[in-house]
Amino acid sequence: MALTKEFMGSSLVERPIFPSSSPCFQQKNGSFLISPVFVPYGNKRVVRLRKSAKFPVAAISEDLMKSSSSSSSISSSSSSVPAEKPVKFKVRAVVTVRNKIKEDFKETFVKHLDAFTDRIGRNVVLELFSTEIDPKTNAAKKTNEAVLKDWSKKTNIKAERVNYTAEFTVDSNFGEPGAITVINNHQQEFYLENITIEGFATGAFHFPCNSWVQARKDLPGKRIFFSNKPYLPDDTPAGIKLLREKDLKNLRGDGKGVRKLSDRIYDYDTYNDLGNPDRGIDLARPTLGGSEMYPYPRRCRTGREPSDTDITCESRVEKPLPMYIPRDERFEESKMNTFSVKRLKGVLHNLLPGLKSSLSAQNKDFNEFSDVDGLYSVGLLIKLGLQDDILKKLPLPHIVSKIQESTSQGILKYDIPKIISKDKFAWLRDDEFARQAIAGVNPVTIERLTVFPPVSKLDPEIYGPQESALKKEHILNQLNGMTVQEAIDQNKLFIIDYHDIYLPFLERINALDGRKSYATRTIYYLTPLGTLKPVAIELSLPPSGPNTRSKRVVTPALDATTNWMWMLAKAHVCSNDAGVHQLAHHWLRTHACMEPFILSAHRQLSAMHPIFKLLDPHMRYTLEINALARQSLINADGVIESCFTPGRYAMEISSAAYKTNWRFDQDSLPQDLIRR
């Protein structure tokens, strides 16, 4: 009765026309039983429900009875009405493809070849999948294949993005679109940015793709893309569950064979490609990872053949040849252009002192401080009058001219640091030295001093006494009348301690030509002004005998002689700091430790997973940067070994830092600040 009033209104409620003795009206056990009968009502049949005089009777049209038969138990006769046949209709896919900014001759030729073959049936083919299962086939509901239209007509469009369309025929029982497969029957890959499905009554459905779709000849099978609706694994609709599993299986690969540049496989391997033993024993390096001696995070597997002279070492790929990473991890063109400019400037800046040395009569990198200053003012080659000659001889790409046009400093001058632009001699003073400890490139080493003197954790049988050479008398006169314990209790003393990370390697480092180093400890005092000042520096060497002096303490200068001693001690601290910053904090923690997480995320988390959607923007480009680093930065005789004090032992120091200092649960904020 309530259903009748809702659809028809109370105005259609009629008085009873059947007596209580009517066969459609019966009373049993104090309850009324009502049976429907059909009576003429114009050109339609009307069902009249008869009740006692105090209950009104409603007239219900047959159409309404059909619409509500599934929820009504009034009569079994309504269940015999046949179900409506699904209605077929068309929906449209709008496919956005991003063009390359610049194409070489080969790419342009293949692009026009694809336009021609597209006309004769070698197309880009799409297929739409529902989130629901078809009860007849027990598989996901899907459409017939549809072809992208007008590919050949839009070949010459120079816009950054080009939209293509395709049409699918679906029926009213199709359900919600959940996935699209794409087959590229062309000869060349293309970058698929997104797909939008229009035409459903519930609105448009969006499929973010942001992926290179390889030609079928390079990557057989269909590419799978999911809608932007996130699902946890257990909540994945039945219609796309198998597609989710298949996509992850494709990303994991089988761990075999050499990876092609067009592959999209995320797999693990050790750092066994840093050395190049085929070029000489001096370029052999140990494998990092997979052993207790040299533990290290995993990198992306390339599957290259082993070197000729060492089967445990993977063969090298040198520039300009690219190193494998999954195709979608490579730089976009705009990112690559920016990266290339900065990399070229960095390479030139590394070359300039060497070039100057080879051209200088004294055969030295820097003869005086004015030479260092020249890096930031006129430029070394300009100062020597050799700018044009050197640039003509160097095999530099055409991008050099663009750098010179885009920056007032040019490629032959270093950018002036802000602190130096305001005060040329700021770097000499103690207050700037201390400020760099918390506001410089490496503010994540300094920590509160809790024990004085500091104690080493190294094995005393190998590396000598664990006690520091620092004594209270070294710093007491710098504490404004406080005792050392009072300063510790009031959080006034801080330390940067590079003793344990450098000492095990110093004997080998100092045996290298042109390399001399100490393991340093620096004590800082927090002044009443709220600024830090260095109060003592400890310089340590490995003990060479039972009576040798392996540790010494240097304090702020009192005269000209001790001033230079103090300056040299600070220089050794800066040298230690640069190495630890690059090898432990920057490369290791920011890049190397993140790579296995990125690989694992792609292997275990579907693109539909909500956590993956959050992580994806932050993981982008890291694998490409890491691969470039293995190629020219951290490799044997690379930039790190050439420019940093540890030399060929740099990556072994990085491995030691990973073994002793890296903890996932302590390296994030706020845990890191609390720990320090």
Side-chain angles (χ1 to χ4, degrees):
M1 198 65 182
L3 179 65
T4 304
K5 287 184 178 181
E6 181 179 352
F7 278 91
M8 304 184 66
S10 58
S11 62
L12 293 180
V13 175
E14 300 181 1
R15 298 174 61 87
I17 60 174
F18 294 109
S20 60
S21 60
S22 171
C24 67
F25 178 88
Q26 300 176 11
Q27 184 174 5
K28 184 177 182 181
N29 297 330
S31 301
F32 291 105
L33 300 179
I34 305 172
S35 299
V37 295
F38 290 100
V39 298
Y41 186 74
N43 294 326
K44 295 185 178 181
R45 292 182 296 169
V46 174
V47 181
R48 291 192 181 275
L49 303 182
R50 177 61 187 269
K51 293 187 179 182
S52 65
K54 60 182 179 180
F55 297 106
V57 178
I60 308 177
S61 72
E62 185 178 9
D63 294 339
L64 180 59
M65 286 297 296
K66 289 180 180 179
S67 66
S68 60
S69 60
S70 61
S71 60
S72 175
S73 61
I74 296 178
S75 172
S76 61
S77 62
S78 60
S79 63
S80 62
V81 179
E84 290 186 6
K85 189 176 181 179
V87 177
K88 292 187 178 293
F89 60 97
K90 290 185 177 182
V91 297
R92 184 177 71 157
V94 179
V95 179
T96 303
V97 174
R98 185 189 300 172
N99 282 333
K100 285 190 174 182
I101 300 173
K102 290 184 178 180
E103 296 177 338
D104 58 27
F105 175 78
K106 180 181 177 181
E107 289 172 333
T108 303
F109 175 79
V110 176
K111 182 178 180 180
H112 285 86
L113 179 62
D114 284 338
F116 173 76
T117 57
D118 189 83
R119 297 176 185 174
I120 59 176
R122 299 188 61 175
N123 315 104
V124 176
V125 181
L126 282 67
E127 199 171 12
L128 185 63
F129 286 77
S130 171
T131 56
E132 299 178 2
I133 291 290
D134 188 337
K136 295 180 180 179
T137 62
N138 202 31
K141 296 178 182 178
K142 63 180 181 178
T143 65
N144 292 329
E145 293 182 342
V147 174
L148 280 194
K149 299 179 180 179
D150 299 332
W151 187 282
S152 59
K153 294 181 180 179
K154 297 182 179 181
T155 298
N156 294 321
I157 294 179
K158 301 300 182 183
E160 182 180 0
R161 291 172 177 83
V162 180
N163 290 330
Y164 302 91
T165 61
E167 284 188 349
F168 300 103
T169 300
V170 299
D171 60 44
S172 52
N173 292 334
F174 184 78
E176 183 178 305
I180 291 178
T181 61
V182 181
I183 300 175
N184 178 11
N185 290 314
H186 293 166
Q187 294 293 311
Q188 188 166 261
E189 65 179 6
F190 64 87
Y191 189 84
L192 180 56
E193 192 166 86
N194 60 70
I195 301 174
T196 301
I197 304 297
E198 302 172 343
F200 283 93
T202 51
F205 292 89
H206 302 281
F207 293 75
C209 304
N210 297 310
S211 178
W212 290 95
V213 180
Q214 299 301 319
R216 197 170 188 175
K217 64 180 180 64
D218 296 323
L219 196 65
K222 301 177 180 180
R223 284 297 311 278
I224 304 170
F225 299 100
F226 300 99
S227 72
N228 63 349
K229 188 173 183 179
Y231 294 104
L232 292 170
D234 291 342
D235 299 330
T236 306
I240 56 176
K241 183 166 288 188
L242 289 178
L243 290 175
R244 181 177 188 148
E245 295 172 0
K246 183 178 180 180
D247 190 48
L248 286 175
K249 184 179 179 180
N250 292 338
L251 292 172
R252 294 180 189 129
D254 58 6
K256 301 176 182 178
V258 180
R259 298 272 68 87
K260 298 183 298 182
L261 295 178
S262 58
D263 286 345
R264 294 175 58 251
I265 295 177
Y266 296 78
D267 203 358
Y268 305 104
D269 207 345
T270 58
Y271 279 77
N272 61 349
D273 64 341
L274 300 181
N276 194 349
D278 291 346
R279 287 178 51 194
I281 190 64
D282 289 343
L283 295 179
R285 298 292 181 269
T287 295
L288 304 185
S291 68
E292 293 185 7
M293 187 173 185
Y294 298 112
Y296 218 61
R298 294 295 188 267
R299 64 167 174 91
C300 184
R301 179 183 178 275
T302 66
R304 297 193 303 271
E305 297 294 330
S307 64
D308 294 333
T309 55
D310 186 353
I311 194 172
T312 65
C313 180
E314 192 172 84
S315 57
R316 293 280 303 168
V317 174
E318 305 293 355
K319 282 290 185 184
L321 297 176
M323 187 179 291
Y324 168 78
I325 58 170
R327 181 64 182 95
D328 290 338
E329 302 298 324
R330 294 207 172 276
F331 289 153
E332 294 181 6
E333 282 184 276
S334 57
K335 175 72 174 180
M336 176 57 79
N337 291 339
T338 302
F339 187 83
S340 297
V341 169
K342 292 182 178 179
R343 182 171 60 181
L344 180 59
K345 290 185 69 175
V347 169
L348 285 173
H349 289 172
N350 287 328
L351 288 175
L352 287 180
L355 289 171
K356 191 261 182 184
S357 173
S358 65
L359 297 168
S360 171
Q362 291 83 9
N363 195 29
K364 293 182 179 180
D365 288 350
F366 300 104
N367 298 320
E368 51 193 18
F369 279 116
S370 62
D371 284 349
V372 179
D373 186 52
L375 292 172
Y376 300 95
S377 54
V378 295
L380 284 175
L381 300 183
I382 298 175
K383 184 177 181 180
L384 294 171
L386 299 170
Q387 177 186 8
D388 294 335
D389 292 340
I390 293 298
L391 282 180
K392 289 177 182 178
K393 295 177 182 179
L394 287 175
L396 299 175
H398 67 279
I399 203 170
V400 169
S401 59
K402 293 187 177 181
I403 301 175
Q404 290 176 307
E405 295 170 1
S406 62
T407 172
S408 59
Q409 293 295 325
I411 61 174
L412 298 178
K413 288 190 287 185
Y414 287 76
D415 294 331
I416 300 176
K418 288 185 178 180
I419 187 68
I420 301 298
S421 65
K422 296 178 180 179
D423 184 350
K424 183 180 292 187
F425 298 103
W427 61 278
L428 287 168
R429 290 194 290 269
D430 287 355
D431 58 347
E432 178 59 22
F433 174 79
R435 191 188 73 86
Q436 290 288 324
I438 53 173
V441 295
N442 181 22
V444 294
T445 300
I446 188 170
E447 59 185 42
R448 185 168 59 90
L449 185 65
T450 57
V451 176
F452 189 89
V455 179
S456 170
K457 297 179 182 178
L458 297 175
D459 186 348
E461 293 185 2
I462 301 176
Y463 301 107
Q466 294 178 317
E467 293 75 20
S468 168
L470 286 161
K471 305 298 180 184
K472 291 182 179 179
E473 51 266 28
H474 288 133
I475 64 173
L476 197 59
N477 63 344
Q478 308 265 356
L479 304 184
N480 289 343
M482 287 191 293
T483 66
V484 172
Q485 190 58 48
E486 287 174 337
I488 291 176
D489 293 341
Q490 296 181 32
N491 300 332
K492 297 292 186 181
L493 290 179
F494 297 83
I495 185 172
I496 291 182
D497 192 346
Y498 294 135
H499 179 276
D500 286 6
I501 194 170
Y502 266 92
L503 195 66
F505 299 92
L506 282 183
E507 191 171 344
R508 287 177 287 170
I509 291 174
N510 289 335
L512 298 173
D513 290 340
R515 311 291 173 108
K516 291 294 179 286
S517 184
Y518 292 93
T520 65
R521 287 188 178 111
T522 309
I523 306 296
Y524 297 88
Y525 171 66
L526 181 62
T527 70
L529 297 176
T531 59
L532 291 177
K533 74 173 182 178
V535 294
I537 295 174
E538 181 188 48
L539 305 174
S540 300
L541 291 171
S544 56
N547 298 319
T548 58
R549 183 186 180 191
S550 60
K551 300 178 181 180
R552 64 188 302 173
V553 176
V554 182
T555 55
L558 299 175
D559 51 44
T561 301
T562 55
N563 178 65
W564 281 109
M565 293 281 289
W566 177 244
M567 293 291 292
L568 285 171
K570 289 194 297 181
H572 278 291
V573 173
C574 290
S575 175
N576 279 191
D577 188 72
V580 172
H581 159 65
Q582 188 62 266
L583 298 171
H585 299 313
H586 180 200
W587 162 252
L588 174 63
R589 296 182 179 181
T590 307
H591 291 273
C593 285
M594 291 300 102
E595 186 154 348
F597 287 95
I598 295 171
L599 296 172
S600 179
H602 283 88
R603 290 169 60 87
Q604 305 297 333
L605 302 179
S606 165
M608 292 187 288
H609 201 294
I611 300 300
F612 183 87
K613 291 181 178 291
L614 292 173
L615 290 176
D616 189 39
H618 305 284
M619 300 187 297
R620 197 174 192 188
Y621 300 140
T622 300
L623 295 186
E624 169 91 348
I625 293 172
N626 290 3
L628 291 171
R630 298 204 316 274
Q631 204 166 26
S632 57
L633 186 69
I634 63 174
N635 60 303
D637 207 27
V639 174
I640 295 294
E641 289 193 4
S642 301
C643 299
F644 288 77
T645 303
R648 62 176 297 159
Y649 306 106
M651 291 305 293
E652 293 184 39
I653 290 179
S654 185
S655 173
Y658 179 69
K659 182 178 183 178
T660 59
N661 296 328
W662 190 80
R663 281 272 302 270
F664 178 78
D665 59 339
Q666 292 185 359
D667 278 354
S668 60
L669 297 176
Q671 285 81 4
D672 175 65
L673 292 176
I674 294 171
R675 176 177 57 84
R676 293 192 289 121

Coordinates of all heavy atoms in Angstrom, one line a residue, residues 636-668:
A636 N 84.5 3.1 -11.1 CA 85.9 3.2 -11.0 C 86.4 4.3 -11.9 O 86.1 4.4 -13.1 CB 86.5 1.8 -11.5
D637 N 87.2 5.1 -11.3 CA 87.8 6.3 -12.0 C 86.8 7.3 -12.4 O 87.0 8.1 -13.3 CB 88.6 5.8 -13.2 CG 89.8 6.8 -13.6 OD1 90.2 7.5 -12.6 OD2 90.1 6.9 -14.7
G638 N 85.6 7.3 -11.8 CA 84.5 8.2 -12.1 C 84.7 9.5 -11.3 O 85.8 9.8 -10.7
V639 N 83.7 10.4 -11.3 CA 83.8 11.7 -10.7 C 84.1 11.6 -9.2 O 85.0 12.4 -8.7 CB 82.5 12.5 -11.0 CG1 82.5 13.8 -10.3 CG2 82.3 12.7 -12.5
I640 N 83.4 10.8 -8.5 CA 83.6 10.7 -7.1 C 85.0 10.2 -6.7 O 85.7 10.8 -5.9 CB 82.6 9.7 -6.4 CG1 81.2 10.2 -6.6 CG2 82.9 9.4 -5.0 CD1 80.9 11.5 -5.9
E641 N 85.5 9.2 -7.4 CA 86.9 8.7 -7.1 C 87.9 9.8 -7.5 O 89.0 9.9 -6.9 CB 87.2 7.4 -7.9 CG 86.4 6.2 -7.3 CD 86.9 4.9 -7.8 OE1 87.9 4.9 -8.6 OE2 86.3 3.9 -7.5
S642 N 87.7 10.6 -8.6 CA 88.6 11.5 -9.0 C 88.6 12.8 -8.2 O 89.7 13.4 -8.0 CB 88.3 11.9 -10.5 OG 88.4 10.8 -11.3
C643 N 87.5 13.2 -7.6 CA 87.4 14.5 -7.0 C 87.3 14.4 -5.4 O 87.5 15.5 -4.8 CB 86.2 15.2 -7.5 SG 86.2 15.5 -9.3
F644 N 87.1 13.3 -4.9 CA 86.9 13.2 -3.4 C 88.1 12.4 -2.8 O 88.7 11.5 -3.4 CB 85.6 12.5 -3.0 CG 84.4 13.3 -3.3 CD1 83.9 13.5 -4.6 CD2 83.8 14.0 -2.2 CE1 82.8 14.3 -4.8 CE2 82.7 14.8 -2.5 CZ 82.2 15.0 -3.8
T645 N 88.5 12.8 -1.6 CA 89.7 12.3 -0.9 C 89.8 10.8 -0.9 O 90.8 10.2 -1.1 CB 89.8 12.9 0.5 OG1 89.8 14.3 0.4 CG2 91.1 12.4 1.2
P646 N 88.7 10.0 -0.6 CA 88.8 8.6 -0.5 C 89.2 7.8 -1.7 O 89.6 6.7 -1.7 CB 87.4 8.1 0.0 CG 86.8 9.3 0.6 CD 87.3 10.5 -0.1
G647 N 89.1 8.5 -2.9 CA 89.6 7.9 -4.2 C 88.9 6.6 -4.4 O 87.7 6.5 -4.4
R648 N 89.6 5.5 -4.8 CA 89.1 4.3 -5.2 C 88.4 3.5 -4.1 O 87.7 2.5 -4.3 CB 90.2 3.4 -5.8 CG 91.3 3.0 -4.8 CD 92.3 2.0 -5.4 NE 91.7 0.8 -5.7 CZ 92.1 -0.1 -6.6 NH1 93.2 0.2 -7.2 NH2 91.5 -1.2 -6.8
Y649 N 88.5 4.0 -2.8 CA 87.9 3.3 -1.7 C 86.6 4.0 -1.3 O 86.0 3.7 -0.2 CB 88.8 3.3 -0.5 CG 90.2 2.7 -0.8 CD1 91.3 3.5 -1.0 CD2 90.3 1.3 -1.1 CE1 92.5 2.9 -1.3 CE2 91.5 0.7 -1.4 CZ 92.6 1.5 -1.5 OH 93.8 0.9 -1.9
A650 N 86.1 4.9 -2.1 CA 84.9 5.7 -1.8 C 83.7 4.8 -1.6 O 83.0 5.0 -0.6 CB 84.7 6.8 -2.9
M651 N 83.4 3.9 -2.5 CA 82.2 3.1 -2.4 C 82.4 2.1 -1.3 O 81.3 1.6 -0.8 CB 81.9 2.4 -3.7 CG 81.5 3.4 -4.8 SD 80.1 4.4 -4.3 CE 78.8 3.2 -4.2
E652 N 83.6 1.7 -0.9 CA 83.7 0.8 0.2 C 83.3 1.6 1.5 O 82.7 1.0 2.4 CB 85.1 0.3 0.3 CG 85.5 -0.6 -0.8 CD 86.9 -1.2 -0.6 OE1 87.3 -1.5 0.5 OE2 87.6 -1.3 -1.7
I653 N 83.6 2.9 1.6 CA 83.2 3.7 2.7 C 81.7 3.8 2.7 O 81.0 3.7 3.8 CB 83.8 5.1 2.6 CG1 85.3 5.0 2.9 CG2 83.2 6.0 3.6 CD1 86.1 6.3 2.8
S654 N 81.1 3.9 1.6 CA 79.6 4.0 1.5 C 79.0 2.7 2.0 O 78.0 2.7 2.7 CB 79.2 4.2 0.0 OG 77.8 4.4 -0.1
S655 N 79.6 1.5 1.6 CA 79.1 0.2 2.1 C 79.2 0.1 3.6 O 78.3 -0.4 4.3 CB 79.9 -0.9 1.4 OG 79.6 -2.1 2.0
A656 N 80.3 0.6 4.2 CA 80.5 0.6 5.6 C 79.5 1.5 6.3 O 79.0 1.1 7.4 CB 81.9 1.1 6.0
A657 N 79.2 2.6 5.7 CA 78.1 3.5 6.3 C 76.8 2.8 6.3 O 76.0 2.9 7.3 CB 78.1 4.8 5.6
Y658 N 76.5 2.0 5.2 CA 75.2 1.3 5.2 C 75.2 0.2 6.2 O 74.1 0.0 6.9 CB 75.1 0.7 3.8 CG 73.8 -0.1 3.6 CD1 72.6 0.5 3.5 CD2 73.9 -1.5 3.4 CE1 71.4 -0.3 3.3 CE2 72.8 -2.3 3.2 CZ 71.5 -1.7 3.2 OH 70.4 -2.4 3.0
K659 N 76.3 -0.4 6.5 CA 76.4 -1.5 7.4 C 76.2 -1.1 8.9 O 75.5 -1.7 9.7 CB 77.7 -2.3 7.3 CG 77.9 -3.5 8.2 CD 79.2 -4.2 7.9 CE 79.4 -5.4 8.7 NZ 80.6 -6.1 8.4
T660 N 76.7 0.1 9.2 CA 76.8 0.5 10.6 C 75.8 1.6 11.0 O 75.4 1.7 12.1 CB 78.2 1.0 11.0 OG1 78.6 2.1 10.1 CG2 79.2 -0.2 10.8
N661 N 75.4 2.4 10.0 CA 74.7 3.7 10.3 C 73.3 3.8 9.8 O 72.6 4.7 10.1 CB 75.5 4.9 9.9 CG 76.8 5.0 10.6 OD1 76.9 4.6 11.8 ND2 77.8 5.6 10.0
W662 N 72.9 2.9 8.8 CA 71.6 3.1 8.2 C 70.6 2.3 8.8 O 70.7 1.0 9.0 CB 71.7 2.7 6.7 CG 70.4 3.1 6.0 CD1 70.1 4.4 5.5 CD2 69.3 2.3 5.6 NE1 68.9 4.4 4.9 CE2 68.4 3.1 5.0 CE3 69.0 0.9 5.8 CZ2 67.1 2.6 4.5 CZ3 67.8 0.5 5.4 CH2 66.9 1.3 4.7
R663 N 69.5 2.9 9.3 CA 68.4 2.3 9.9 C 67.1 2.9 9.3 O 66.9 4.1 9.5 CB 68.4 2.5 11.4 CG 69.3 1.5 12.2 CD 68.6 0.2 12.5 NE 67.4 0.4 13.3 CZ 67.4 0.4 14.6 NH1 68.5 0.3 15.3 NH2 66.2 0.6 15.3
F664 N 66.3 2.1 8.7 CA 65.1 2.7 8.1 C 64.2 3.4 9.1 O 63.6 4.5 8.8 CB 64.3 1.6 7.4 CG 63.0 2.0 6.8 CD1 63.0 2.6 5.5 CD2 61.8 1.8 7.4 CE1 61.8 3.1 4.9 CE2 60.6 2.3 6.8 CZ 60.6 2.9 5.6
D665 N 64.1 2.9 10.3 CA 63.2 3.5 11.3 C 63.8 4.7 12.0 O 63.1 5.3 12.8 CB 62.7 2.4 12.3 CG 63.9 1.8 13.0 OD1 65.1 1.9 12.5 OD2 63.7 1.3 14.1
Q666 N 65.1 5.0 11.7 CA 65.7 6.1 12.4 C 66.1 7.3 11.5 O 66.6 8.3 11.9 CB 66.9 5.7 13.2 CG 66.6 4.8 14.4 CD 67.8 4.4 15.2 OE1 68.9 4.8 14.9 NE2 67.6 3.6 16.2
D667 N 66.0 7.1 10.2 CA 66.5 8.1 9.2 C 65.4 9.0 8.7 O 65.7 9.8 7.8 CB 67.2 7.4 8.0 CG 68.6 7.0 8.4 OD1 69.1 7.3 9.4 OD2 69.2 6.3 7.5
S668 N 64.2 8.9 9.2 CA 63.1 9.8 8.8 C 62.8 10.8 9.9 O 63.3 10.6 11.0 CB 61.9 9.0 8.4 OG 61.4 8.3 9.5

